[in-house]
C-alpha cells in the first residue's frame, strides 16, 4: 500500500514538472517573439487564455454599457432603433475585430495598433503613421476611461434618486466628486501586480455575464401584462431625434453599440503579460466581440418588450432612462437590487479600461512619443507594472471629467472616445490591405486570402461611422445642443500635427528597439 502511494505521489510530481516545463517553454517562446519585435520582456506573463478573454469581454461591460446608452436607440428609432440599431453595427464591427485579431496574432506587443501601423506602412511614412495611430489611440483610451467612470457616477446618482423617491437629486458638482472617488479607487486597484489583475478579471466576467442574464430574464418575465406586442417590439419605429429623415435618425442609433463595442484591442495591449499571446490575443478579441454583441442584443430585445411606451421612458427625470425601465418593471426595491449589480459591472468595466489605457500610455512612452516619457515608461520594481502610467491615465481622466458639468460636452466626450479608438483601429487595417499586404508575417491566426475583403469592409464601416459621430443630435442645433466631438478631436489633431511638424518628425522614428539583436530567452 505504501509503495502504491509512493508511486502515485511520484507520478503527480512528474505531471507538475511537465506542466511547469511546458509553461516555461511557452513563456520563453513568447519572450523570444517579443525580442524579434524589438522589445525586452518587462512584465510577468501571468494572464492565461481564459483570463485574457475575460479581460477583453469585461472591458465592454455589456449590461452596464447598454444601460448607459439606451437613450440613443430610444430617441433614434424607438423599438427599431433599440433592436436593429444594435444588430446591424455589430455585424460590421466583426470585420474590424477579425482584422485586428490577425494583426495581434502576428505582432503580440503592448504597443498594439501604432506598432502595427509602423510595420505595415511604407518605410518613408512609418513614423508618421505610427504617430497618428498612437495619438488617436491614447486619446480614445483616456476619454473612454472618463466616459465609463462618469457614467458609473451617474448610475450611483440614479440609485440615490430612486431610493429617495426623487427627493435627492445630486448636482453636477456632486457627480463629479463621485467620479473622482471612482477614479482614485481605480488607480489603486490598477496599480496591482499582473497576477492580481489577471485573477480579478475572472470575477469581472462572472459578475458581467450573471447580471446580464438576470436583467434579461427579469425584464421578460416580470413585464408580463404590461409589455409591447411582438410586432411593436421589433417593428415599431419612432423618430424623436429632430431629424426629418427617418433613415438618418435610425442610423444615429448606431452610436450605442459603437460605444459599447470598443476596447477589445485590450487583448493586444496586455499581450506582453499573456502566456502564448499570439494565440490568446486573437481568440480573446473575437470571443469578446461575439459574446458582447449577442448578450447586448438579447438584452435590448427584452428591453423592447418591457417598454410599451417610448415617450414615457424618454420623459423620465432619472439621469439614465434604463433606470426608469427597471423601476417600471421591477418596482423600487427590485430596481435598486439589479441596478446595484449594474453599478458593480460599470465599476469593473472602468477598472479594466484603466488597465488597458495604462498599457497604451506605457508602450507609447517606451517609444518616447509622450511628453515626460521617461516617467510614464518606468516600471514599478515591486509590482512590475507601469504604475506611473496608471496614474497618468487617472489624472487625465479626471481632467476630462470637468466636461461632465455640461451634458452636451459629456456626450461629445463619449463620441470622441469612439472616434479616436476606431480611427486607430482603421489606420493599421487600411495599411494592412494596401502597402502592408506583403509585409505582414502571419501568426497562428490568419485571414489568408480573406484579409483584403474583410479589411476593406472594416475600413469602409469605420469611415462611415466616424463621419456620422460628428453630426449633432438634431437637424437644427444651438450652442447648448451642439456635438462638440469635432472640437475635442481637432484639438488633439492640431496638437499632434503641430508637434509632428515642429519637432517630432526630426526625432520620432516609430517603435524603438530596446533589446539586443540576440533575443533573450529568460523566463519572466
Amino acid at each position: 500500500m505504501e509503495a502504491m502511494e509512493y508511486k502515485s505521489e511520484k507520478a503527480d510530481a512528474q505531471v507538475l514538472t511537465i506542466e511547469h516545463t511546458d509553461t516555461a517553454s511557452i513563456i520563453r517562446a513568447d519572450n523570444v517573439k517579443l525580442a524579434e519585435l524589438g522589445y525586452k520582456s518587462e512584465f510577468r506573463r501571468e494572464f492565461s487564455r481564459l483570463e485574457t478573454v475575460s479581460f477583453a469581454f469585461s472591458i465592454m461591460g455589456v449590461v452596464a454599457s447598454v444601460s448607459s446608452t439606451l437613450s440613443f436607440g430610444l430617441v433614434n428609432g424607438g423599438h427599431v432603433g433599440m433592436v436593429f440599431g444594435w444588430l446591424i453595427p455589430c455585424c460590421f464591427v466583426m470585420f474590424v475585430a477579425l482584422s485586428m485579431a490577425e494583426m495581434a496574432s502576428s505582432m503580440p506587443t503592448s504597443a498594439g495598433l501604432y506598432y502595427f501601423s509602423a510595420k505595415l506602412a511604407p518605410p518613408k511614412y512609418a513614423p508618421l503613421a505610427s504617430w497618428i495611430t498612437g495619438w488617436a489611440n491614447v486619446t480614445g483610451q483616456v476619454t473612454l476611461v472618463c466616459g465609463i467612470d462618469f457614467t458609473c457616477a451617474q448610475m450611483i446618482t440614479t440609485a440615490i434618486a430612486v431610493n429617495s423617491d426623487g427627493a435627492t437629486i445630486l448636482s453636477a458638482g456632486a457627480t463629479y466628486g463621485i467620479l473622482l472617488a471612482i477614479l482614485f479607487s481605480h488607480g489603486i486597484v490598477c496599480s496591482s501586480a499582473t497576477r492580481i489583475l489577471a485573477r480579478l478579471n475572472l470575477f469581472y466576467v462572472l459578475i458581467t455575464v450573471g447580471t446580464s442574464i438576470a436583467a434579461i430574464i427579469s425584464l421578460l418575465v416580470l413585464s408580463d401584462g404590461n409589455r409591447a406586442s411582438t410586432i411593436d417590439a421589433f417593428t415599431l419605429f419612432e423618430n424623436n431625434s429632430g431629424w426629418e429623415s427617418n433613415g438618418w435618425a435610425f442610423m444615429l442609433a448606431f452610436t450605442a453599440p459603437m460605444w459599447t463595442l470598443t476596447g477589445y484591442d485590450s487583448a493586444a495591449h496586455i499581450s506582453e503579460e499573456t502566456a502564448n499571446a499570439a494565440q490568446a490575443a486573437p481568440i480573446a478579441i473575437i470571443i469578446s466581440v461575439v459574446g458582447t454583441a449577442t448578450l447586448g442584443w438579447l438584452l435590448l430585445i427584452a428591453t423592447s418588450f418591457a417598454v410599451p411606451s417610448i415617450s414615457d421612458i424618454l420623459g423620465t427625470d432619472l439621469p439614465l432612462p434604463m433606470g426608469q425601465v427597471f423601476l417600471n418593471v421591477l418596482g423600487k426595491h427590485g430596481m435598486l437590487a439589479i441596478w446595484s449589480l449594474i453599478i458593480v459591472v460599470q465599476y469593473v468595466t472602468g477598472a479594466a479600461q484603466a488597465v488597458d489605457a495604462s498599457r497604451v500610455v506605457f508602450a507609447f512612452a517606451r517609444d518616447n512619443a509622450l511628453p515626460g516619457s521617461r516617467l510614464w515608461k518606468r516600471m514599478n520594481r515591486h509590482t512590475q507594472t507601469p504604475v506611473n502610467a496608471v496614474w497618468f491615465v487617472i489624472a487625465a481622466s479626471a481632467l476630462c471629467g470637468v466636461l461632465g458639468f455640461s451634458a452636451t460636452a459629456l456626450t461629445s466626450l463619449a463620441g470622441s472616445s469612439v472616434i479616436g479608438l476606431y480611427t486607430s483601429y482603421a489606420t493599421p487595417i487600411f495599411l494592412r490591405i494596401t502597402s502592408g499586404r506583403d509585409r505582414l508575417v502571419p501568426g497562428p491566426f490568419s485571414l489568408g486570402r480573406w484579409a483584403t475583403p474583410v479589411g476593406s469592409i472594416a475600413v469602409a464601416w469605420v469611415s462611415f461611422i466616424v463621419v456620422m459621430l460628428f453630426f449633432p443630435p438634431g437637424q437644427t442645433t444651438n450652442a447648448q445642443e451642439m456635438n462638440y466631438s469635432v472640437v475635442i478631436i481637432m484639438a488633439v489633431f492640431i496638437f499632434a500635427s503641430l508637434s509632428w511638424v515642429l519637432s517630432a518628425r526630426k526625432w520620432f522614428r516609430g517603435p524603438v528597439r530596446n533589446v539586443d539583436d540576440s533575443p533573450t530567452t529568460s523566463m519572466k
Side-chain angles (χ1 to χ4, degrees), residues 17-255:
T17 301
I18 292 171
E19 290 179 350
H20 179 75
T21 302
D22 289 344
T23 302
S25 299
I26 290 171
I27 294 177
R28 190 176 295 111
D30 284 329
N31 291 343
V32 169
K33 176 63 178 177
L34 184 62
E36 291 173 355
L37 297 175
Y39 299 117
K40 64 181 179 181
S41 180
E42 298 181 77
F43 292 92
R44 295 189 180 97
R45 293 187 180 272
E46 294 176 326
F47 270 87
S48 66
R49 181 178 298 182
L50 176 60
E51 289 160 347
T52 305
V53 172
S54 299
F55 182 71
F57 182 83
S58 301
I59 215 165
M60 289 182 273
V62 55
V63 64
S65 295
V66 168
S67 297
S68 59
T69 59
L70 182 66
S71 60
F72 292 110
L74 291 173
V75 170
N76 300 292
H79 295 280
V80 173
M82 279 191 284
V83 176
F84 295 102
W86 176 277
L87 178 62
I88 293 171
C90 287
C91 294
F92 285 102
V93 168
M94 273 308 305
F95 290 93
V96 181
L98 287 169
S99 296
M100 188 184 299
E102 181 187 46
M103 293 185 291
S105 182
S106 172
M107 296 169 278
T109 167
S110 294
L113 300 160
Y114 78 85
Y115 185 95
F116 304 158
S117 291
K119 297 304 178 184
L120 298 174
K124 180 179 179 181
Y125 300 104
L128 178 59
S130 181
W131 182 262
I132 292 173
T133 307
W135 274 104
N137 196 238
V138 168
T139 300
Q141 293 282 353
V142 172
T143 52
L144 187 58
V145 172
C146 178
I148 292 171
D149 283 1
F150 203 101
T151 303
C152 186
Q154 287 184 316
M155 288 179 173
I156 294 172
T157 62
T158 298
I160 292 172
V162 171
N163 187 58
S164 65
D165 296 320
T168 303
I169 304 295
L170 296 183
S171 65
T175 304
Y176 182 70
I178 295 174
L179 168 68
L180 294 180
I182 293 171
L183 285 171
F184 181 75
S185 65
H186 280 162
I188 295 174
V189 172
C190 297
S191 297
S192 303
T194 297
R195 180 184 295 275
I196 296 174
L197 295 174
R199 303 302 179 270
L200 281 174
N201 279 281
L202 295 177
F203 164 73
Y204 292 173
V205 77
L206 287 175
I207 191 68
T208 300
V209 174
T211 303
S212 299
I213 294 173
I216 292 169
I217 294 174
S218 63
L219 288 174
L220 287 176
V221 173
L222 299 178
S223 64
D224 188 26
N226 187 28
R227 63 169 62 167
S229 67
T230 301
I231 293 177
D232 285 351
F234 285 96
T235 64
L236 183 60
F237 182 88
E238 296 183 34
N239 180 2
N240 295 290
S241 67
W243 287 93
E244 294 181 3
S245 170
N246 288 338
W248 180 249
F250 169 67
M251 286 190 287
L252 289 175
F254 295 172
T255 305

Side-chain angles (χ1 to χ4, degrees), residues 43 55 141-142 145-146 149 182-194 197 273 350-363 365 370 375-380 383-398:
F43 292 92
F55 182 71
Q141 293 282 353
V142 172
V145 172
C146 178
D149 283 1
I182 293 171
L183 285 171
F184 181 75
S185 65
H186 280 162
I188 295 174
V189 172
C190 297
S191 297
S192 303
T194 297
L197 295 174
E273 299 168 75
Q353 176 56 35
V355 172
D356 184 17
S358 70
R359 279 20 177 199
V360 174
V361 168
F362 161 78
L370 291 176
L375 180 63
W376 313 128
K377 67 181 177 181
R378 188 175 300 165
M379 297 288 285
N380 184 278
T383 64
Q384 208 164 331
T385 55
V387 173
N388 289 353
V390 169
W391 288 101
F392 172 91
V393 170
I394 299 303
S397 299

